[in-house]
Structure formats: structure tokens, C-alpha cells
Amino acid sequence: MEPTTDRLKTPRAAGMAGVAFALLLGAAIVLMRISIPGDAADATIDQDRRWAVQLALQIVPFAGIFFLWFMGALRAHTGAAEDRFIATVFLGSGFVFVATLFAAAAAAGTVLNEETPSDFGRHYAYTLLATYAMRMAAVFVLATSMIGRTLGVFPRPLALLGTLVGLILIVVGSGVPWSEMLFPAWALVISLYILRVRRTTVHADGSGPP
């Protein structure tokens, strides 16, 4: 009975952590976008909206923590049948994404604390977040979708959606304003699907309420 209980807890953990990550990252992106324009060449901070950047910087660490939990729970859900090559790409892209996200937040925080923010610092923080972090997010989405499709963890439409989102993030990058929102939106869809599957599994097994 214990293995079944553990099996049911893992998808729920992945779903809840994914929802928290998606909401937090989405909020941070919105706050940054209302303070910094979409063009990296004009990545200046609106002085009247510095509060938004400060709030976004407070949110980012928690988003990163929930993302790591989301990664671990997803990997546990796939089990030992995962392909080592794809799993390496999955883990590597996820870790680099979090590292780049934290680096971008730290750079933005340093610029925000300067009396006269430098153009280099603003461009550096913006480029880290909008270009490099999102490209690593794209690789993570593609790897997750490939694992889900190969092992049958995700239905085909959901796997195709992830592939499309990953390709858009890789090709578009920071070229299209608000394109970064695709990543938290995808994470939210995946998380809600996992929670729905768990609810269905619990009812089917008759093991109690979800």
C-alpha cells in the first residue's frame, strides 16, 4: 500500500510546485515588463515604477525554489525508465535556467541600488533574463515534452504543445515582447494536467478523496 501512496504523492507535489512556480514567475515577468520596455536597446527602468522591479526581485528566489521542486517531482514521476540522454538535457537546462534567472535578478538588484544606473548593467540584466534564461527554459520545455511523449506521461496534444512552446522560445527569444510568458503558461498547463490525472487516479483506486 505504501508504494501506491508514494506514487500518488509525487504527481501532486509536481503539480502544486508547478502551479506555484508558474504564478510566481508570471508575476515577476509582468512586474518587470511594466517597468522595462521590450526592446533591450531601451532597457531603462521607469523611475516611477521602481517598486515593481523591487517586488519582482523579491519573487524570483521563491520562483526558483519551486521550479527546482517541480523538476525533482517530475523526474521522480517518470521513474527509472527515463532516457539518460534526455534526462541529462532536462536536468542541465533546468539548473542553468535557475542559475541564469538568479544571476539576472542579482544584476537587476545591483543596478536598482545604484544612484545612477549604468546602461551596461541594465542591458546585462535584461539580456540574461530575456535571452539566455528563456533559451534554457525552451530547452527544458522541449526535453520535458520529449520525455512525456516517449514514456506516455503526457498525452500527444500536450507534448506537441510543449514542443511548439519550446521552439517559439528558442527562435523568438527576446525579439517579441511578452513572449517570456509562454514558459510559465506552459508550466501551469502541465501542472494542472498532473493534478487532474492524480485526482482521477485517486478516484479510480478508491483510496480516498484527492
PDB file of all heavy atoms in Angstrom, residues 51 103 123 133 145 163 172 188:
ATOM      1  N   TRP A  51       9.252  50.304  -7.755  1.00  0.00           N
ATOM      2  CA  TRP A  51       8.653  49.377  -6.800  1.00  0.00           C
ATOM      3  C   TRP A  51       8.338  48.038  -7.451  1.00  0.00           C
ATOM      4  O   TRP A  51       8.439  46.978  -6.806  1.00  0.00           O
ATOM      5  CB  TRP A  51       7.361  49.970  -6.228  1.00  0.00           C
ATOM      6  CG  TRP A  51       6.291  50.182  -7.282  1.00  0.00           C
ATOM      7  CD1 TRP A  51       6.068  51.287  -8.014  1.00  0.00           C
ATOM      8  CD2 TRP A  51       5.335  49.202  -7.726  1.00  0.00           C
ATOM      9  NE1 TRP A  51       5.030  51.100  -8.896  1.00  0.00           N
ATOM     10  CE2 TRP A  51       4.550  49.835  -8.731  1.00  0.00           C
ATOM     11  CE3 TRP A  51       5.052  47.885  -7.367  1.00  0.00           C
ATOM     12  CZ2 TRP A  51       3.523  49.167  -9.388  1.00  0.00           C
ATOM     13  CZ3 TRP A  51       4.016  47.223  -8.020  1.00  0.00           C
ATOM     14  CH2 TRP A  51       3.262  47.867  -9.007  1.00  0.00           C
ATOM     15  N   ALA A 103      21.013  35.003 -11.542  1.00  0.00           N
ATOM     16  CA  ALA A 103      22.039  35.970 -11.947  1.00  0.00           C
ATOM     17  C   ALA A 103      21.404  37.239 -12.496  1.00  0.00           C
ATOM     18  O   ALA A 103      21.855  38.355 -12.208  1.00  0.00           O
ATOM     19  CB  ALA A 103      22.961  35.352 -12.992  1.00  0.00           C
ATOM     20  N   HIS A 123      21.301  46.589 -19.473  1.00  0.00           N
ATOM     21  CA  HIS A 123      21.286  45.695 -20.632  1.00  0.00           C
ATOM     22  C   HIS A 123      21.715  44.280 -20.238  1.00  0.00           C
ATOM     23  O   HIS A 123      21.183  43.294 -20.742  1.00  0.00           O
ATOM     24  CB  HIS A 123      22.205  46.231 -21.722  1.00  0.00           C
ATOM     25  CG  HIS A 123      21.755  47.550 -22.272  1.00  0.00           C
ATOM     26  ND1 HIS A 123      22.586  48.362 -23.013  1.00  0.00           N
ATOM     27  CD2 HIS A 123      20.562  48.196 -22.190  1.00  0.00           C
ATOM     28  CE1 HIS A 123      21.921  49.472 -23.358  1.00  0.00           C
ATOM     29  NE2 HIS A 123      20.694  49.383 -22.869  1.00  0.00           N
ATOM     30  N   ALA A 133      18.086  33.075 -20.151  1.00  0.00           N
ATOM     31  CA  ALA A 133      17.213  32.284 -19.288  1.00  0.00           C
ATOM     32  C   ALA A 133      16.066  31.673 -20.080  1.00  0.00           C
ATOM     33  O   ALA A 133      15.714  30.501 -19.893  1.00  0.00           O
ATOM     34  CB  ALA A 133      16.666  33.161 -18.150  1.00  0.00           C
ATOM     35  N   SER A 145       8.842  17.665 -22.766  1.00  0.00           N
ATOM     36  CA  SER A 145       7.835  17.179 -23.713  1.00  0.00           C
ATOM     37  C   SER A 145       8.272  15.879 -24.368  1.00  0.00           C
ATOM     38  O   SER A 145       7.461  14.974 -24.587  1.00  0.00           O
ATOM     39  CB  SER A 145       7.574  18.252 -24.782  1.00  0.00           C
ATOM     40  OG  SER A 145       7.089  19.435 -24.190  1.00  0.00           O
ATOM     41  N   THR A 163       6.362  21.146 -27.380  1.00  0.00           N
ATOM     42  CA  THR A 163       7.331  21.273 -28.468  1.00  0.00           C
ATOM     43  C   THR A 163       7.178  22.616 -29.171  1.00  0.00           C
ATOM     44  O   THR A 163       8.169  23.291 -29.484  1.00  0.00           O
ATOM     45  CB  THR A 163       7.147  20.129 -29.483  1.00  0.00           C
ATOM     46  OG1 THR A 163       7.310  18.875 -28.815  1.00  0.00           O
ATOM     47  CG2 THR A 163       8.167  20.243 -30.602  1.00  0.00           C
ATOM     48  N   VAL A 172      12.251  32.892 -31.102  1.00  0.00           N
ATOM     49  CA  VAL A 172      11.851  34.276 -30.846  1.00  0.00           C
ATOM     50  C   VAL A 172      12.764  34.944 -29.829  1.00  0.00           C
ATOM     51  O   VAL A 172      13.222  36.063 -30.020  1.00  0.00           O
ATOM     52  CB  VAL A 172      10.388  34.332 -30.358  1.00  0.00           C
ATOM     53  CG1 VAL A 172      10.038  35.729 -29.866  1.00  0.00           C
ATOM     54  CG2 VAL A 172       9.456  33.922 -31.489  1.00  0.00           C
ATOM     55  N   LEU A 188       2.057  26.034 -16.060  1.00  0.00           N
ATOM     56  CA  LEU A 188       0.739  25.997 -15.416  1.00  0.00           C
ATOM     57  C   LEU A 188      -0.147  24.932 -16.048  1.00  0.00           C
ATOM     58  O   LEU A 188      -0.835  24.176 -15.343  1.00  0.00           O
ATOM     59  CB  LEU A 188       0.085  27.375 -15.520  1.00  0.00           C
ATOM     60  CG  LEU A 188      -1.281  27.516 -14.848  1.00  0.00           C
ATOM     61  CD1 LEU A 188      -1.171  27.257 -13.346  1.00  0.00           C
ATOM     62  CD2 LEU A 188      -1.868  28.900 -15.098  1.00  0.00           C
TER      63      LEU A 188
END
